Amino acid sequence: MHFRLFDSKGSLVDEGAGSVKFVAGAIVVVPEMGEPMTIRPNAIGNITEPAPFVVGIVQNDS
Amino acid sequence: MLEMSELGQMRTQLLAQLKDSRHDDAKKTLLLVGIGNPSKFKGVVNGEEGEVFLYDDALVFMPRSKEPLQLLYSFVEGLETDATGYHLTLKVRGTEPISLERFANRTGELSDSLKAKIGAARVRTSAFFSTLLPGLGPIQVRQISALLADGIACEASALDSVETDIFSTLFDLATIEPLKPLANKLASYGETWLGFKQRRSVEQKARGGEQWHDHTHGDIQDHGGLPPAPMGIGGMMMASTIANGPMWGSGYGFDGAFGERGSSLAYEMLGISMMGRSQGSQGLNSIFPGTNQTSHEIVQRAIPALNPLTLAKTNYEKLRLDGKRPAILSFLIVASGTKIIYRPLNDALDPTIVFTGSRSDVGAINRGLALIDFDVDAISDDSNRATSRFQTAIERISILRQLRATYQIAVLPSEPDARVEEAIKTP
């Protein structure tokens, strides 16, 4: 899996390869290097498909 | 925003899991109504795309991003279908109609399911009052059921117009003993409303009827053939014996004459020694070394208990006000001047809540309470943003924010009643 993380202004914060898993209902993106990022379901504002076969998760505060 | 690509076949699973976890979480964190297991439909409600969940008592619509829409069936006044048959309109008491469309080939199923669930909810209410008030005739029970639909409070005078003193009778039945002095005192402060809300599902799933299995015995290698034949001379002898009987004389094999020990080999093959229980070594093992047959006694066939089939049904007898976890919540609303008091009548742990508002606000407060499933902790919660478990609900559910805006005080039954009195007198 390849991920790209943007901040609320749309600037790229982090990018790389990793894996994704669900832990206690929350989605956790585990980069190959670096800290995992946990997104609780209530923090998910919207789920989009910005490009074919790409899953976008818009956070409530972004 | 987080973008994930190169997910391969995991993409579909990820999207499905995201959707499920969002719904499960939303139900808890957004204090959504709904009891029982819902049926799900994907479509458009009031112009927003999302999923509709039909619970036992309510419709919940989860749009992709906006605030969820909740509707208790007791607030539904009608369901209309347009000429095409693909556009449904729900007429709702006190608010704008709700439009449901783009459910494609499941529109009919949604309409039928909605009608069935609304009907079932009304039947449960009717059954509850019919049991609670066995002396009343069907007409009065019907009127009372309509006035006291699930979660809707009814004014005392309206109830008494159906049957004299029925409000005080219901009030008495609805209040548990320890709360009676407090409830009577609160009722004396002003005009009173009484309500009932089902909080637990009484629908029972179908059970049993699975494939029969004899749990008392291990699996039998039915049609599995004989144990593997030993190698070498032992195997040759075994094959020969099965076909013709032992080499040193006939009569022990399957070809033995009827009644002349011809069946002994068959018993041996089943592990039952014809030569006595303790003589296993003299049985088949002695004839066919290596077959490892062990003798045992013939025992009566086990009669396993069959798992009975129970059909899905509604447990009307569980629609009770008493017990440890009553399925029905009873509550009192009192309008006293510029204050509105809410008090659960069969839950001694929940607080009495005082809101600011006049008689005309009772309906809105009642509706708001019903839509947060009477979880009053969310109204009185004053913990900070980081630790509050209701923060998401407060941010996203407008009705909860309205309730919190009018909330004045919460007083536990263990605290002095004077605090409620004081709050009522405060301008």
Side-chain angles (χ1 to χ4, degrees):
Chain A
M1 191 271 290
H2 185 86
F3 75 93
R4 293 202 302 162
L5 180 66
F6 301 90
D7 67 9
S8 55
K9 290 171 188 164
S11 312
L12 187 68
V13 175
D14 196 6
E15 182 177 11
S19 60
V20 59
K21 59 172 87 173
F22 277 85
V23 178
I27 184 167
V28 183
V29 176
V30 189
E32 281 180 353
M33 298 294 285
E35 288 299 308
M37 186 174 66
T38 304
I39 306 171
R40 282 177 290 116
N42 59 24
I44 298 173
N46 205 358
I47 298 162
T48 60
E49 191 174 12
F53 305 107
V54 177
V55 176
I57 296 176
V58 182
Q59 288 164 261
N60 278 331
D61 55 356
S62 61
Chain B
M1 177 171 159
L2 174 72
E3 260 183 30
M4 288 176 286
S5 53
E6 298 168 26
L7 288 159
Q9 60 187 17
M10 201 194 163
R11 181 178 163 273
T12 315
Q13 189 196 341
L14 176 77
L15 285 170
Q17 259 185 295
L18 263 172
K19 198 170 66 181
D20 286 350
S21 75
R22 275 184 88 196
H23 174 256
D24 294 346
D25 182 78
K27 179 94 173 54
K28 198 169 58 187
T29 58
L30 299 178
L31 313 173
L32 299 183
V33 291
I35 52 173
N37 292 316
S39 13
K40 300 175 195 173
F41 298 86
K42 204 173 175 184
V44 172
V45 174
N46 287 346
E48 279 286 326
E49 207 176 317
E51 269 189 307
V52 168
F53 297 84
L54 297 185
Y55 287 92
D56 291 358
D57 63 336
L59 174 152
V60 174
F61 171 64
M62 290 282 293
R64 283 192 172 165
S65 53
K66 288 189 178 173
E67 179 178 340
L69 184 147
Q70 306 182 77
L71 174 67
L72 285 173
Y73 298 140
S74 44
F75 286 85
V76 175
E77 287 181 333
L79 175 65
E80 287 173 4
T81 312
D82 76 346
T84 65
Y86 286 98
H87 190 158
L88 309 175
T89 306
L90 271 171
K91 293 198 167 173
V92 186
R93 183 189 297 194
T95 55
E96 293 294 305
I98 294 171
S99 142
L100 303 116
E101 57 192 326
R102 288 169 58 188
F103 287 89
N105 58 358
R106 293 194 72 198
T107 312
E109 188 191 340
L110 172 70
S111 168
D112 291 347
S113 192
L114 249 175
K115 282 177 194 164
K117 296 224 177 210
I118 292 168
R122 287 177 181 165
V123 168
R124 284 197 303 272
T125 306
S126 176
F128 168 67
F129 287 112
S130 181
T131 312
L132 200 65
L133 306 163
L136 286 190
I139 304 289
Q140 286 111 319
V141 169
R142 187 168 183 254
Q143 286 173 306
I144 288 170
S145 303
L147 289 170
L148 288 168
D150 194 33
I152 300 174
C154 180
E155 201 175 350
S157 56
L159 285 170
D160 284 341
S161 68
V162 175
E163 178 76 19
T164 317
D165 290 336
I166 198 68
F167 173 81
S168 55
T169 306
L170 280 168
F171 181 60
D172 192 49
L173 290 168
T175 314
I176 54 171
E177 273 314 310
L179 289 176
K180 278 190 175 162
L182 172 64
N184 285 326
K185 194 172 181 184
L186 294 175
S188 69
Y189 289 148
E191 289 174 274
T192 47
W193 279 256
L194 185 66
F196 298 87
K197 170 76 179 79
Q198 191 186 337
R199 298 191 80 183
R200 295 184 216 295
S201 178
V202 293
E203 300 297 329
Q204 187 181 303
K205 278 185 177 177
R207 273 203 318 254
E210 74 259 30
Q211 195 176 11
W212 181 84
H213 178 69
D214 182 354
H215 299 280
T216 59
H217 285 65
D219 287 337
I220 298 164
Q221 297 293 322
D222 195 15
H223 304 295
L226 292 164
M231 298 291 285
I233 187 73
M236 286 164 63
M237 284 174 69
M238 184 176 178
S240 165
T241 305
I242 291 166
N244 306 311
M247 288 187 293
W248 50 85
S250 64
Y252 288 94
F254 292 129
D255 66 335
F258 180 77
E260 287 185 15
R261 302 170 71 193
S263 54
S264 64
L265 180 60
Y267 279 114
E268 289 282 0
M269 296 304 291
L270 291 170
I272 301 159
S273 171
M274 297 304 287
M275 298 175 192
R277 188 185 174 200
S278 60
Q279 295 173 5
S281 60
Q282 294 170 19
L284 199 65
N285 284 346
S286 62
I287 303 167
F288 306 124
T291 52
N292 200 25
Q293 293 290 315
T294 310
S295 63
H296 63 77
E297 282 184 341
I298 299 173
V299 292
Q300 188 186 353
R301 184 173 183 79
I303 304 168
L306 289 171
N307 198 353
L309 174 67
T310 310
L311 296 175
K313 63 169 186 175
T314 306
N315 257 330
Y316 292 109
E317 63 271 23
K318 283 191 177 172
L319 292 168
R320 298 176 66 90
L321 287 161
D322 55 356
K324 243 183 174 180
R325 297 175 78 225
I328 307 279
L329 166 83
S330 54
F331 61 94
L332 173 76
I333 294 179
V334 182
S336 174
T338 57
K339 306 291 174 199
I340 292 167
I341 308 162
Y342 162 78
R343 170 73 241 163
L345 296 174
N346 63 341
D347 188 340
L349 298 174
D350 267 359
T352 302
I353 306 267
V354 179
F355 297 97
T356 305
S358 63
R359 187 186 189 285
S360 60
D361 297 320
V362 169
I365 286 180
N366 177 198
R367 189 169 163 271
L369 286 166
L371 290 182
I372 59 160
D373 207 19
F374 295 86
D375 193 344
V376 290
D377 289 344
I379 302 169
S380 56
D381 178 58
D382 58 357
S383 48
N384 68 41
R385 193 179 183 279
T387 58
S388 173
R389 69 182 175 97
F390 301 110
Q391 193 53 42
T392 311
I394 293 165
E395 281 170 6
R396 289 189 63 191
I397 306 292
S398 53
I399 199 93
L400 178 57
R401 289 198 299 276
Q402 285 163 26
L403 287 173
R404 283 172 68 89
T406 55
Y407 159 77
Q408 194 175 342
I409 194 171
V411 182
L412 288 166
S414 53
E415 295 177 294
D417 301 350
R419 288 191 66 203
V420 177
E421 215 169 323
E422 209 174 283
I424 294 168
K425 285 175 186 163
T426 310

